[in-house]
Amino acid sequence: MLKKIHFVQHHFLKIPQRSAIIIFFLILMVFWGCHKPDRQLFRSWMDDSKKIKVLSTIKQIGDLVADIGGERIDSLVLIRGALDPHYYELVKGDGEKLEHADLIFYNGLGLEHGASLFSWLHLNNKATALGDRILQQFPERILFKAEIVDPHIWMDVSIWAVAGDLIFQQLIAIDPDGASYYRSRALLLRERMERTHREILEMVHQIPEARRYFVTSHDAFQYFTRSYLAEKDEINWTQRFAAPEGLAPDGQLSPVDIQRIINYLKWHNISTLFAESNVNLDSLNKIADAGRDLGLCVQICEEKLFADAIDGDLHYLDMMLHNAKVISNHMSNP
Ligand SMILES: [Zn+2]
């Protein structure tokens, strides 16, 4: 009898334990499944494949590197998914990646300013700051805000095409045997970039000129605005774009900031705020709430824009087309 009670009790306790173990392993499998591609990518990149190992800080660079380098290189992106490149600090394993790379490309212009990453990049002669090089070559194309350089240069495809040329030059310098291979791929990429630039321009210019004013989470869309939203040679193009958070999203929003955006919404008759995929919605929610309290019709667009981060496997150029489509759809039909 005692044995029976013990048996029943044993199972009574054991069923939830078993369930807990099963649930634990299911979670582990899901977690492992989600991270498997990243880990595999990292392992194969660390393998001695005899290919040139190229590390890029952001996907906007990594996509160009992979397009030009093709089968002759192994390309890896350091700051993946929704992580913020402005504040990214080195984590376990990053040191190995940086050491293992034959070439490193980063944006520069103050984008990667997390202290550990910044000091590593600046002390390493394998690393090329694409934005800093573009600033040297084409200073007139680089934008500033309150005397601080705006690092979001990839938001204008015609400027980012220069980054493609710089990547090509670095690849042929380290691998001269692959020069013709890289050249043909770089030319194909340049053609695709020129085509995408024109497509975005045409798409955005279907929006009536008077409606081409917009608000996003942080100051990442200045280059996009100047190149695509503004009229040709427009002097006051900066007035077409406003954001509550500065060049690096910081979530700090004062009543003055909120009022500034509210005034902007009223002045330009804007009813849609555009959220960015990796920036907290708090700032836009505060503005939308404050606007509604004042009787304005304000909503946050459900389709998010990509600026500092690109979700999933979306190619940089498809990300730019996505942004243009979302902006164009919502501004044409507010
Ligand atoms: Zn940014």
Side-chain angles (χ1 to χ4, degrees):
M1 186 63 191
L2 272 174
K3 223 175 178 180
K4 195 175 178 184
I5 290 169
H6 176 75
F7 178 82
V8 172
Q9 282 179 335
H10 180 73
H11 275 77
F12 178 73
L13 290 169
K14 208 169 176 181
I15 289 166
Q17 281 175 344
R18 276 185 181 163
S19 302
I21 289 167
I22 290 166
I23 289 166
F24 171 77
F25 276 105
L26 280 173
I27 291 169
L28 201 68
M29 282 168 73
V30 169
F31 181 80
W32 183 80
C34 291
H35 288 77
K36 192 179 167 193
D38 271 7
R39 287 195 330 190
Q40 280 180 340
L41 214 62
F42 172 58
R43 279 197 195 137
S44 68
W45 192 77
M46 292 297 284
D47 280 352
D48 187 16
S49 65
K50 308 293 181 199
K51 292 183 181 180
I52 294 160
K53 306 289 177 179
V54 188
L55 185 67
S56 307
T57 51
I58 54 175
K59 193 169 185 298
Q60 293 88 331
I61 298 172
D63 284 345
L64 306 195
V65 168
D67 285 348
I68 299 170
E71 293 299 313
R72 293 184 76 90
I73 67 155
D74 278 336
S75 171
L76 189 74
V77 173
L78 183 70
I79 307 169
R80 298 179 65 78
L83 295 170
D84 183 348
H86 290 281
Y87 299 103
Y88 186 83
E89 296 283 359
L90 296 183
V91 296
K92 192 169 178 281
D94 284 352
E96 281 175 80
K97 295 174 192 169
L98 290 158
E99 290 290 347
H100 195 62
D102 298 306
L103 281 176
I104 299 166
F105 292 109
Y106 66 107
N107 188 77
L109 299 178
L111 178 75
E112 301 94 339
H113 69 233
S116 55
L117 177 58
F118 177 84
S119 55
W120 210 102
L121 292 169
H122 279 249
L123 291 171
N124 199 299
N125 57 14
K126 294 186 293 190
T128 300
L130 297 168
D132 294 357
R133 295 278 184 92
I134 294 172
L135 173 63
Q136 287 166 5
Q137 286 182 29
F138 305 102
E140 74 285 355
R141 304 204 69 179
I142 301 301
L143 295 171
F144 291 77
K145 186 143 194 175
E147 297 185 6
I148 298 171
V149 66
D150 182 343
H152 305 93
I153 47 173
W154 61 87
M155 299 300 281
D156 176 343
V157 179
S158 68
I159 299 180
W160 208 226
V162 182
D165 296 342
L166 293 168
I167 291 164
F168 162 66
Q169 287 160 18
Q170 292 291 314
L171 285 174
I172 57 170
I174 200 169
D175 179 21
D177 291 347
S180 61
Y181 177 82
Y182 296 133
R183 184 172 291 106
S184 61
R185 295 181 69 92
L187 281 171
L188 281 176
L189 175 64
R190 184 166 258 281
E191 282 168 17
R192 186 179 168 196
M193 292 181 90
E194 286 170 0
R195 201 165 53 243
T196 303
H197 179 74
R198 285 195 303 274
E199 270 181 62
I200 296 171
L201 201 56
E202 282 164 20
M203 207 184 306
V204 171
H205 273 250
Q206 283 172 7
I207 308 164
E209 182 273 325
R211 284 201 198 141
R212 275 185 249 138
Y213 291 86
F214 84 137
V215 172
T216 64
S217 306
H218 88 297
D219 270 330
F221 282 79
Q222 281 207 101
Y223 290 96
F224 185 94
T225 302
R226 180 180 64 176
S227 192
Y228 303 117
L229 282 176
E231 291 289 281
K232 196 170 187 302
D233 300 325
E234 184 174 335
I235 294 168
N236 294 322
W237 65 266
T238 53
Q239 292 176 14
R240 289 188 179 270
F241 168 65
E245 298 185 39
L247 287 171
D250 55 12
Q252 304 294 319
L253 204 61
S254 70
V256 174
D257 292 324
I258 294 176
Q259 192 55 52
R260 175 174 61 88
I261 301 295
I262 293 286
N263 290 343
Y264 186 83
L265 297 178
K266 280 195 218 168
W267 186 256
H268 295 293
N269 199 20
I270 296 169
S271 59
T272 304
L273 308 175
F274 291 93
E276 293 165 41
S277 67
N278 71 325
V279 181
N280 192 300
L281 278 173
D282 287 355
S283 296
L284 292 188
N285 278 329
K286 282 178 191 168
I287 290 163
D289 290 344
R292 287 186 206 112
D293 288 347
L294 291 167
L296 299 179
C297 173
V298 187
Q299 59 183 357
I300 299 173
C301 180
E302 285 182 5
E303 288 179 278
K304 294 190 174 176
L305 302 180
F306 299 114
D308 292 348
I310 307 176
D311 278 4
D313 293 327
L314 199 65
H315 188 281
Y316 152 71
L317 289 172
D318 292 326
M319 155 205 150
M320 293 298 296
L321 286 168
H322 162 88
N323 286 344
K325 275 177 200 153
V326 171
I327 289 167
S328 173
N329 286 344
H330 288 269
M331 279 194 199
S332 299
N333 308 294

Short mmCIF file of all heavy atoms in Angstrom, two decimals, residues 84 86 111 151-152 154 218-220 247-249 276 308, ligand 1:
data_model
loop_
_atom_site.label_atom_id
_atom_site.label_comp_id
_atom_site.label_asym_id
_atom_site.label_seq_id
_atom_site.Cartn_x
_atom_site.Cartn_y
_atom_site.Cartn_z
N ASP A 84 21.97 48.03 -32.71
CA ASP A 84 22.21 49.42 -33.07
C ASP A 84 23.70 49.67 -33.30
O ASP A 84 24.50 49.54 -32.37
CB ASP A 84 21.70 50.31 -31.92
CG ASP A 84 21.83 51.79 -32.24
OD1 ASP A 84 22.52 52.13 -33.22
OD2 ASP A 84 21.25 52.60 -31.50
N HIS A 86 25.25 52.40 -33.72
CA HIS A 86 25.78 53.61 -33.05
C HIS A 86 26.46 53.26 -31.73
O HIS A 86 27.45 53.87 -31.36
CB HIS A 86 24.65 54.59 -32.76
CG HIS A 86 24.07 55.24 -33.98
ND1 HIS A 86 24.66 56.28 -34.64
CD2 HIS A 86 22.91 54.98 -34.66
CE1 HIS A 86 23.91 56.65 -35.67
NE2 HIS A 86 22.84 55.87 -35.71
N LEU A 111 29.73 56.67 -36.96
CA LEU A 111 28.63 55.72 -36.76
C LEU A 111 28.98 54.72 -35.65
O LEU A 111 28.25 54.62 -34.66
CB LEU A 111 28.32 54.95 -38.04
CG LEU A 111 27.20 53.90 -37.86
CD1 LEU A 111 25.83 54.57 -37.77
CD2 LEU A 111 27.19 52.87 -38.97
N PRO A 151 26.32 60.27 -40.25
CA PRO A 151 26.95 59.06 -40.80
C PRO A 151 26.07 58.23 -41.74
O PRO A 151 26.56 57.30 -42.36
CB PRO A 151 27.25 58.24 -39.53
CG PRO A 151 26.20 58.65 -38.55
CD PRO A 151 25.86 60.07 -38.86
N HIS A 152 24.76 58.57 -41.89
CA HIS A 152 23.83 57.67 -42.60
C HIS A 152 23.92 57.79 -44.12
O HIS A 152 22.91 57.94 -44.81
CB HIS A 152 22.40 57.95 -42.14
CG HIS A 152 22.22 57.86 -40.65
ND1 HIS A 152 22.33 58.95 -39.82
CD2 HIS A 152 21.96 56.81 -39.86
CE1 HIS A 152 22.14 58.57 -38.56
NE2 HIS A 152 21.91 57.28 -38.56
N TRP A 154 24.52 55.66 -46.47
CA TRP A 154 23.96 54.60 -47.31
C TRP A 154 22.50 54.90 -47.70
O TRP A 154 21.95 54.25 -48.58
CB TRP A 154 24.02 53.24 -46.58
CG TRP A 154 23.25 53.22 -45.28
CD1 TRP A 154 21.94 52.93 -45.11
CD2 TRP A 154 23.76 53.54 -43.98
NE1 TRP A 154 21.59 53.04 -43.78
CE2 TRP A 154 22.69 53.41 -43.07
CE3 TRP A 154 25.01 53.93 -43.49
CZ2 TRP A 154 22.83 53.67 -41.70
CZ3 TRP A 154 25.15 54.17 -42.14
CH2 TRP A 154 24.07 54.04 -41.26
N HIS A 218 14.52 58.82 -35.79
CA HIS A 218 15.76 59.57 -35.53
C HIS A 218 16.32 60.12 -36.83
O HIS A 218 15.83 59.82 -37.91
CB HIS A 218 16.76 58.73 -34.72
CG HIS A 218 17.69 57.85 -35.51
ND1 HIS A 218 17.26 56.81 -36.30
CD2 HIS A 218 19.04 57.84 -35.60
CE1 HIS A 218 18.31 56.21 -36.84
NE2 HIS A 218 19.40 56.82 -36.44
N ASP A 219 17.35 60.94 -36.71
CA ASP A 219 17.85 61.70 -37.87
C ASP A 219 18.61 60.84 -38.88
O ASP A 219 19.74 61.15 -39.23
CB ASP A 219 18.77 62.81 -37.36
CG ASP A 219 18.01 64.10 -37.09
OD1 ASP A 219 17.00 64.34 -37.76
OD2 ASP A 219 18.44 64.85 -36.20
N ALA A 220 18.00 59.77 -39.35
CA ALA A 220 18.70 58.87 -40.26
C ALA A 220 18.33 59.13 -41.73
O ALA A 220 18.88 58.49 -42.61
CB ALA A 220 18.38 57.42 -39.91
N LEU A 247 21.05 62.34 -34.30
CA LEU A 247 21.79 61.50 -35.25
C LEU A 247 22.01 60.09 -34.74
O LEU A 247 22.16 59.15 -35.50
CB LEU A 247 23.14 62.16 -35.59
CG LEU A 247 23.04 63.40 -36.49
CD1 LEU A 247 24.39 64.11 -36.58
CD2 LEU A 247 22.54 63.05 -37.88
N ALA A 248 22.07 59.92 -33.41
CA ALA A 248 22.10 58.58 -32.80
C ALA A 248 20.87 58.49 -31.90
O ALA A 248 20.67 59.38 -31.08
CB ALA A 248 23.36 58.39 -31.98
N PRO A 249 20.02 57.46 -32.09
CA PRO A 249 18.79 57.40 -31.28
C PRO A 249 19.12 57.25 -29.80
O PRO A 249 19.89 56.36 -29.42
CB PRO A 249 18.06 56.17 -31.81
CG PRO A 249 19.09 55.36 -32.53
CD PRO A 249 20.15 56.31 -32.98
N GLU A 276 11.06 53.44 -37.23
CA GLU A 276 12.20 52.68 -37.76
C GLU A 276 12.26 51.33 -37.07
O GLU A 276 11.96 51.22 -35.88
CB GLU A 276 13.50 53.45 -37.55
CG GLU A 276 13.56 54.71 -38.38
CD GLU A 276 14.66 55.64 -37.90
OE1 GLU A 276 15.75 55.17 -37.56
OE2 GLU A 276 14.40 56.85 -37.85
N ASP A 308 19.17 52.09 -39.71
CA ASP A 308 20.44 51.60 -39.15
C ASP A 308 20.53 50.08 -39.21
O ASP A 308 21.63 49.53 -39.20
CB ASP A 308 20.57 52.03 -37.68
CG ASP A 308 20.74 53.53 -37.56
OD1 ASP A 308 20.99 54.19 -38.57
OD2 ASP A 308 20.62 54.04 -36.43
ZN ZN B 1 21.30 56.08 -36.99
#
